[in-house]
Amino acid sequence: MIEVKELSKSFVRVVKDDQAGKKRKRLKTKKEEFLAVDDVSFDVQKGEIYGILGPNGAGKTTLLRMLGGILSPTSGSIKIAGYDYAEDRNSAKKKIGYLSGNTKLYGRISPRELFSMFGTLYEMTREEIGSMTEDIIKIMDMESFVDNRIENLSTGQTQRTSIARCLIHSPEIYIFDEPTLGLDVLSSHAIIEFMKSEREKGKVVLYSTHYMEEAESLCDKILMIHQGKIIAQGTPKDLKERSETDNLRDVFIKLVKARGELA
Amino acid sequence: MRKNIIAAIFKKEMTDILRDKKTLFMMIILPIIMYPVLILLFSQIMMMSMSCMEQKELMIAFSTKPDHILLDKLENEKKDVGRLKIIEVNDYKKALENREIAAYVKVINSNSAVQYKIYINSSVDDSSTAVNRLERALEEYRRELVEKNVKAAGLNIKEVLEPITYETINIAKDEEMAGYLLGQILPFILIIGVLLGAIYPAIDVMAGEKERGTLETLLTMPISNLELIMGKYLAVSVSAVVTALLNILSIILTLIFVVLGTAVSDELGMVKINAAELIFPLLITLICICMFAMVVAAISMCVCSLAKNFKEAQNYITPIMFGVMIPSYASMIPNVELNGFTAVLPVVNISLLIKSVLTFRYDMVAIAVVLVTNMAFVLLSVLLLSKMFNSEEILFGNGKSFSFLEKRSNIKSGTLPSVSDGVILYAFGLLLLIYVGGVLQVSLKLLGIALTQLVIICLPLVFAYYIKTDFKKVFSLKLPALHHVLGGISLWAGGAVFSLLIGQFILYLFPQNIKVVEALSEALFSESNLFLSLIVVAVLPAICEEVFYRGFLVTAFKGKESNKRAIILSSILFGLMHIDFIRVIPTAILGLTLAYAVCKTGSIIIPMMMHFLNNGFTVITSYYPRSPLGKIYSLIEMDFSHLDLIKLFILISTSILLVFAGMLVLKQKKEVFY
């Protein structure tokens, strides 16, 4: 369902130029290119929960943003359900439900209006939007607040609306960027249950996290990245066997140590 | 771009704007309550300070005590005007400085007359008021003395003192008066209205959306950046226009209910406005405001897209606000009128245009210039906006970089110009032509025209170099086949006859524009040297304009399969570049034949030759009206007021025949004439 080939993304960032700074009084800056994602390739099959693991700043969010079509890769290709981003961006995007800590909702409209607006943007007909909205309200139990403004909802209600927003166009692929980050036990349990049930329906869930234990129990396959590069890839069982440890946390630390970057 | 997507985003933004109390207040509540309150407050303060100033008793001093007649006049001034009180002072200069007295009068007695010298301190308001009262009293005093003397001499007072009388009568129509009053103040108010209406929504839809984190949600949708920005842009433009219109409505209602309801109604209340005569000016005003709103919306959105949050956006936008507000005062400066120079100044031209149409003193050429320049501004600013919004650095980066144009090192060689490249280069060229070309031509005459042509050719060449394009392909650098030359001549001849006919017909419909034509030919052909004229008027444009239009623009606008868009669009733009309203259509017709020729033959030489023939023909016939060529020209002249239908028919059918023959020959790929 997702095919990623030799994907890289570089950013230009402004850094202090030490050499020039010594000669002149003025602080000199120079532009420097750095690779946030460096030559990443992987495939995700139907009915899989695919975990992307890595510490903060490893390039998880940049990778997911490229998969969600928000950022364009510097090089490499992404195919979503057969559609290449380079050729048919919109068809690929229609297959995806994307959720991250940065995808906030409009405060001044109600969830019902939100569904209708996003449905239109996914080019659904009015009837489709109407029936989907009714379904979602039932599934997510939103009856009580579906007509209130989003800015007046509680945190839990907002989180439910956020997930519901990803469902409106019944996507085949879910991309979640650290969906359980900072949530209480009940809310994160609900999200994990949701991912499991979507896997049962044959859908694809790709999600990033830095909670190794959660990934270990949930994911069918795991990709570990560090400083933009893949350091390991495979099923949790494989990874543990290969590095002769009994949990993913140790796998990760061992791999990073092997690269000589963690003393 | 998909219309339904843009509509959906527009709808969402409008809902958002209308549900935000802050923007709603700025857009609707403020204009509605501001004017009545402002005008009431202003008139109250004016009245209060006026009456307070007038009725205050002012101290003055005399060097010698005036006689009883003058004293009577001074001290018994009417109560509502205010009195003067005479006191004694020792040092009048000190007294004036210390404001003990408002004026000091020195009386000098000479043999024939008495001289009064009034000393004042003009930096003090009281002094000028005192002078007014003094002068009034002295004038009355003088008149009484004169009358007494005249009577004593046994003469008729009226005959001696008032041998003639005069009176000024204002013949301005009532609607002109109303227009004049509105024209002074309305442009400024409208421009401020547009600013207020555009800025808050612009900040909200750009920086606000970034700050609230909803932008990333929107970017996960299957929509293009251009659709997104267009929807947002429309919403901001609409709210700017709506605010401006609400401002107009509010000020008109205020005038009717507040001003006319009070004492002033005696003077202004009888103004009857003929609504029909105000429709055209109001329509032009409306168009101007819409275009202006579009420019302001695009510029403020550009600025706001650089900001990370609401506060930063407000800081960025403040200089823009002042930059727009200050030139909009232009309409209030007396004697500043819309002319060739002011028509190209941004903001100033809108302000003056509204003023001129409301006072019924407009000329179509100036209006066309204003509309065309603003159209160019709209295009440029929207393109800039869409370019900026495409940049990921602005969305996710630190938000301070201006790198919206690709670095040259990143461009692949052989890139062909795109449609937006064509439009942006055209808009840029148009502005350059108006600003730089206008100055050059006025100051350097013929040399200026030549330099303008060089600017025109440099633009596409530099751009083509920058994008590392294939020069041969873009500029159709290829030698033509012989039959293409013949076909080109035939097509040009047919097109030229038709375009001349159309030109004459337009001139017949709008005879007032003949002056423009005369001034133009005078400027072009003032050079007595035929050779020089030919170079500047025929050779240079044939090369430079062809490289720009038939080279760069036609290639930029070419579709994958059909050339139709390229031919039509490039000739419309070619026509519009000749801003004078009467020249646009004939030039565009000529442009059609030129663009057709280059598309079919693939050689720029053919349209260059046709362009040279066309301009050369005009130059030679105007130099030698009696030559054989000049006679051909007089054959084409039509008198539309006494229509010779047979001649018209023959001319049109000849032109159609020539055009078709030319098109047929140009279509041939292989040599057909052996």
Side-chain angles (χ1 to χ4, degrees):
Chain A
M1 289 299 281
I2 305 177
E3 290 170 54
V4 178
K5 271 193 199 126
E6 293 157 12
L7 196 67
S8 294
K9 176 76 192 177
S10 67
F11 286 111
V12 174
R13 62 177 171 190
V14 180
V15 293
K16 232 179 5 190
D17 191 344
D18 291 332
Q19 254 128 48
K22 280 174 190 165
K23 283 181 188 168
R24 293 178 199 164
K25 277 182 185 171
R26 197 157 58 96
L27 195 66
K28 268 291 250 191
T29 56
K30 63 176 181 185
K31 280 185 178 175
E32 187 187 76
E33 213 167 274
F34 88 106
L35 280 168
V37 174
D38 188 359
D39 194 18
V40 169
S41 305
F42 61 91
D43 287 335
V44 185
Q45 308 300 327
K46 226 172 178 180
E48 274 183 349
I49 295 184
Y50 200 95
I52 293 181
L53 267 66
N56 292 332
K60 298 189 299 279
T61 300
T62 308
L63 177 60
L64 292 190
R65 274 177 174 165
M66 283 193 281
L67 292 176
I70 301 171
L71 287 178
S72 303
T74 312
S75 67
S77 72
I78 304 168
K79 262 189 185 173
I80 301 286
Y83 297 105
D84 193 326
Y85 264 134
E87 286 152 19
D88 194 347
R89 201 176 186 79
N90 287 347
S91 297
K93 274 186 168 182
K94 278 182 193 169
K95 300 283 175 194
I96 293 175
Y98 184 97
L99 178 72
S100 86
N102 297 320
T103 53
K104 304 263 168 53
L105 300 174
Y106 292 98
R108 292 174 211 140
I109 57 179
S110 70
R112 195 189 291 282
E113 287 169 318
L114 185 85
F115 298 149
S116 146
M117 172 197 145
F118 280 24
T120 322
L121 294 182
Y122 280 115
E123 294 189 290
M124 295 160 70
T125 64
R126 198 169 291 193
E127 292 74 32
E128 284 171 343
I129 296 172
S131 66
M132 256 333 261
T133 307
E134 291 314 311
D135 288 354
I136 290 173
I137 292 172
K138 266 187 211 130
I139 297 168
M140 306 298 288
D141 189 24
M142 296 170 70
E143 210 71 67
S144 57
F145 59 88
V146 75
D147 289 312
N148 297 355
R149 282 198 190 186
I150 293 175
E151 61 194 358
N152 299 332
L153 302 185
S154 72
T155 316
Q157 288 170 334
T158 313
Q159 182 69 11
R160 261 188 279 171
T161 315
S162 257
I163 296 170
R165 189 263 305 165
C166 301
L167 299 177
I168 185 77
H169 57 300
S170 36
E172 289 166 33
I173 298 164
Y174 295 97
I175 297 179
F176 293 158
D177 188 5
E178 311 208 349
T180 52
L181 185 72
L183 289 187
D184 62 41
V185 186
L186 282 178
S187 302
S188 64
H189 176 73
I191 286 179
I192 288 168
E193 287 307 309
F194 171 78
M195 290 198 270
K196 281 182 181 164
S197 76
E198 291 299 307
R199 170 168 62 185
E200 299 309 310
K201 291 179 199 159
K203 302 210 169 171
V204 172
V205 180
L206 183 115
Y207 97 110
S208 75
T209 183
H210 57 257
Y211 299 137
M212 304 278 175
E213 291 78 10
E214 179 190 293
E216 195 174 342
S217 66
L218 185 64
C219 298
D220 299 301
K221 275 190 189 150
I222 276 172
L223 181 80
M224 285 187 174
I225 59 173
H226 181 57
Q227 295 183 340
K229 294 187 188 72
I230 297 183
I231 54 172
Q233 191 171 6
T235 62
K237 208 177 144 202
D238 264 0
L239 291 177
K240 280 184 281 184
E241 275 171 12
R242 259 190 278 159
S243 59
E244 297 161 349
T245 49
D246 57 2
N247 65 64
L248 283 180
R249 182 190 296 271
D250 293 342
V251 174
F252 187 83
I253 290 168
K254 204 167 179 184
L255 283 168
V256 173
K257 261 185 188 163
R259 296 166 67 90
E261 283 161 4
L262 202 78
Chain B
M1 281 204 284
R2 291 160 297 175
K3 270 186 208 145
N4 55 334
I5 298 291
I6 297 178
I9 294 168
F10 172 74
K11 193 181 145 200
K12 175 239 135 191
E13 296 298 351
M14 283 319 274
T15 326
D16 227 19
I17 289 169
L18 291 176
R19 286 188 188 170
D20 182 18
K21 285 189 192 98
K22 201 163 32 178
T23 34
L24 205 64
F25 178 78
M26 280 293 182
M27 268 178 69
I28 295 168
I29 313 294
L30 196 65
I32 287 177
I33 59 164
M34 187 168 73
Y35 296 110
V37 170
L38 215 63
I39 286 181
L40 271 177
L41 217 66
F42 186 69
S43 60
Q44 287 300 317
I45 291 173
M46 279 292 278
M47 276 165 137
M48 266 164 63
S49 66
M50 291 273 275
S51 58
C52 156
M53 181 80 70
E54 286 284 336
Q55 285 160 15
K56 195 165 138 191
E57 193 179 58
L58 297 173
M59 306 297 174
I60 56 169
F62 273 77
S63 59
T64 46
K65 214 171 174 357
D67 65 14
H68 72 279
I69 306 175
L70 182 57
L71 205 64
D72 196 45
K73 296 237 175 301
L74 286 171
E75 299 215 311
N76 295 329
E77 276 273 20
K78 282 169 207 155
K79 274 215 178 104
D80 57 325
V81 186
R83 288 156 52 89
L84 291 168
K85 195 177 179 195
I86 298 168
I87 56 167
E88 304 255 333
V89 289
N90 295 327
D91 184 351
Y92 71 88
K93 273 189 185 154
K94 225 173 202 170
L96 271 175
E97 260 170 35
N98 298 339
R99 303 189 182 180
E100 284 165 28
I101 52 171
Y104 176 77
V105 185
K106 201 175 201 171
V107 186
I108 304 161
N109 281 302
S110 63
N111 299 334
S112 53
V114 188
Q115 201 185 355
Y116 290 88
K117 270 197 176 157
I118 306 170
Y119 291 82
I120 58 161
N121 180 358
S122 66
S123 63
V124 181
D125 279 338
D126 281 354
S127 266
S128 34
T129 316
V131 168
N132 282 340
R133 291 180 198 169
L134 259 171
E135 279 178 350
R136 215 172 330 179
L138 283 171
E139 174 60 32
E140 238 173 88
Y141 178 50
R142 189 176 63 106
R143 200 182 158 85
E144 233 165 72
L145 289 180
V146 169
E147 278 178 14
K148 206 170 89 188
N149 291 349
V150 170
K151 227 176 193 171
L155 293 169
N156 184 324
I157 296 171
K158 200 178 153 50
E159 264 172 28
V160 174
L161 291 181
E162 283 178 63
I164 57 157
T165 58
Y166 55 84
E167 193 183 349
T168 315
I169 295 152
N170 192 351
I171 60 149
K173 278 185 261 167
D174 286 344
E175 54 264 32
E176 279 185 14
M177 279 302 292
Y180 181 75
L181 290 174
L182 278 178
Q184 296 266 328
I185 186 88
L186 204 56
F188 179 68
I189 289 170
L190 281 177
I191 286 169
I192 300 297
V194 166
L195 266 179
L196 286 179
I199 282 176
Y200 278 87
I203 295 177
D204 200 55
V205 303
M206 304 298 288
E209 183 138 25
K210 224 187 270 183
E211 186 174 343
R212 290 189 294 267
T214 50
L215 192 57
E216 194 163 335
T217 318
L218 209 51
L219 289 173
T220 66
M221 299 288 120
I223 52 177
S224 72
N225 280 338
L226 199 61
E227 286 161 348
L228 180 62
I229 205 70
M230 274 299 142
K232 283 176 178 291
Y233 177 60
L234 277 180
V236 176
S237 301
V238 164
S239 64
V241 172
V242 167
T243 313
L245 293 182
L246 279 174
N247 276 284
I248 303 186
L249 203 70
S250 169
I251 197 159
I252 288 175
L253 289 179
T254 310
L255 280 177
I256 292 173
F257 289 111
V258 180
V259 178
L260 300 188
T262 62
V264 200
S265 65
D266 295 338
E267 288 156 44
L268 276 176
M270 290 300 114
V271 176
K272 286 190 196 98
I273 296 165
N274 186 349
E277 284 196 48
L278 275 173
I279 285 180
F280 180 72
L282 286 179
L283 205 66
I284 292 278
T285 310
L286 199 66
I287 294 172
C288 285
I289 281 300
C290 288
M291 289 178 73
F292 181 69
M294 286 165 84
V295 177
V296 171
I299 292 174
S300 39
M301 278 170 78
C302 280
V303 175
C304 291
S305 73
L306 291 172
K308 267 183 291 185
N309 51 41
F310 224 94
K311 211 172 165 187
E312 212 173 76
Q314 278 176 326
N315 290 340
Y316 286 174
I317 215 151
T318 316
I320 303 267
M321 263 185 85
F322 283 109
V324 172
M325 265 163 74
I326 292 164
S328 68
Y329 278 109
S331 66
M332 300 206 221
I333 306 170
N335 294 326
V336 175
E337 298 275 337
L338 195 64
N339 55 35
F341 175 66
T342 50
V344 295
L345 297 177
V347 187
V348 171
N349 58 9
I350 295 274
S351 171
L352 290 178
L353 179 61
I354 297 172
K355 181 185 173 185
S356 79
V357 290
L358 285 174
T359 47
F360 299 87
R361 275 177 298 176
Y362 42 86
D363 85 272
M364 295 308 283
V365 179
I367 292 180
V369 173
V370 177
L371 292 183
V372 167
T373 40
N374 276 289
M375 193 76 96
F377 279 127
V378 171
L379 273 175
L380 268 183
S381 48
V382 171
L383 273 164
L384 182 68
L385 182 63
S386 64
K387 279 270 182 198
M388 285 176 75
F389 207 72
N390 269 332
S391 163
E392 288 173 0
E393 198 148 328
I394 278 167
L395 292 183
F396 297 111
N398 54 15
K400 286 210 171 83
S401 165
F402 250 110
S403 66
F404 50 89
L405 288 169
E406 200 69 54
K407 266 192 217 150
R408 184 159 192 266
S409 53
N410 294 342
I411 299 172
K412 279 182 214 149
S413 71
T415 316
L416 286 182
S418 64
V419 176
S420 63
D421 286 338
V423 176
I424 205 162
L425 198 71
Y426 177 78
F428 189 64
L430 191 64
L431 292 179
L432 215 60
L433 187 73
I434 289 170
Y435 291 107
V436 181
V439 174
L440 281 178
Q441 285 177 20
V442 168
S443 56
L444 297 172
K445 300 270 154 46
L446 214 56
L447 183 65
I449 299 177
L451 284 176
T452 317
Q453 290 294 337
L454 289 181
V455 171
I456 289 178
I457 195 172
C458 281
L459 269 183
L461 291 182
V462 170
F463 198 98
Y465 166 77
Y466 191 79
I467 63 169
K468 295 182 192 165
T469 192
D470 182 351
F471 272 70
K472 262 189 177 170
K473 217 167 167 183
V474 169
F475 297 109
S476 309
L477 302 177
K478 198 180 101 183
L479 280 178
L482 180 65
H483 70 281
H484 285 157
V485 174
L486 297 174
I489 293 175
S490 170
L491 180 61
W492 162 71
V497 170
F498 193 63
S499 124
L500 279 171
L501 284 176
I502 295 278
Q504 291 172 42
F505 184 61
I506 293 172
L507 211 54
Y508 162 72
L509 288 179
F510 302 96
Q512 62 270 34
N513 282 300
I514 197 135
K515 269 189 201 152
V516 178
V517 178
E518 279 166 0
L520 195 77
S521 50
E522 208 168 282
L524 283 179
F525 309 125
S526 58
E527 188 60 45
S528 54
N529 190 334
L530 172 64
F531 182 67
L532 213 65
S533 281
L534 268 181
I535 296 248
V536 172
V537 180
V539 177
L540 276 179
I543 297 171
C544 303
E545 288 181 8
E546 288 317 303
V547 165
F548 193 119
Y549 291 96
R550 259 60 65 180
F552 193 89
L553 285 190
V554 165
T555 316
F557 294 152
K558 249 182 202 169
K560 272 189 185 132
E561 269 140 45
S562 141
N563 292 328
K564 264 186 205 156
R565 183 177 69 184
I567 294 176
I568 293 171
L569 217 58
S570 74
S571 25
I572 292 174
L573 295 183
F574 181 54
L576 282 177
M577 191 75 113
H578 297 74
I579 292 153
D580 293 328
F581 159 71
I582 41 159
R583 286 173 70 204
V584 169
I585 297 172
T587 317
I589 291 173
L590 206 68
L592 282 176
T593 66
L594 296 172
Y596 182 84
V598 78
C599 284
K600 288 297 164 191
T601 65
S603 165
I604 192 96
I605 307 290
I606 299 288
M608 278 184 178
M609 172 199 77
M610 290 163 73
H611 200 147
F612 170 74
L613 280 176
N614 188 69
N615 292 16
F617 179 74
T618 326
V619 173
I620 290 181
T621 50
S622 66
Y623 266 86
Y624 302 111
R626 287 173 202 290
S627 68
L629 271 179
K631 278 179 190 143
I632 295 179
Y633 182 74
S634 62
L635 270 182
I636 308 170
E637 266 178 14
M638 280 296 296
D639 185 357
F640 281 95
S641 46
H642 304 91
L643 202 54
D644 184 349
L645 276 177
I646 297 172
K647 190 178 166 190
L648 185 67
F649 178 73
I650 293 174
L651 281 175
I652 289 182
S653 44
T654 322
S655 115
I656 292 175
L657 261 177
L658 283 168
V659 166
F660 270 99
M663 282 168 74
L664 256 178
V665 177
L666 287 176
K667 264 188 205 163
Q668 303 297 326
K669 284 257 156 68
K670 282 175 199 146
E671 202 76 48
V672 284
F673 300 100
Y674 289 102

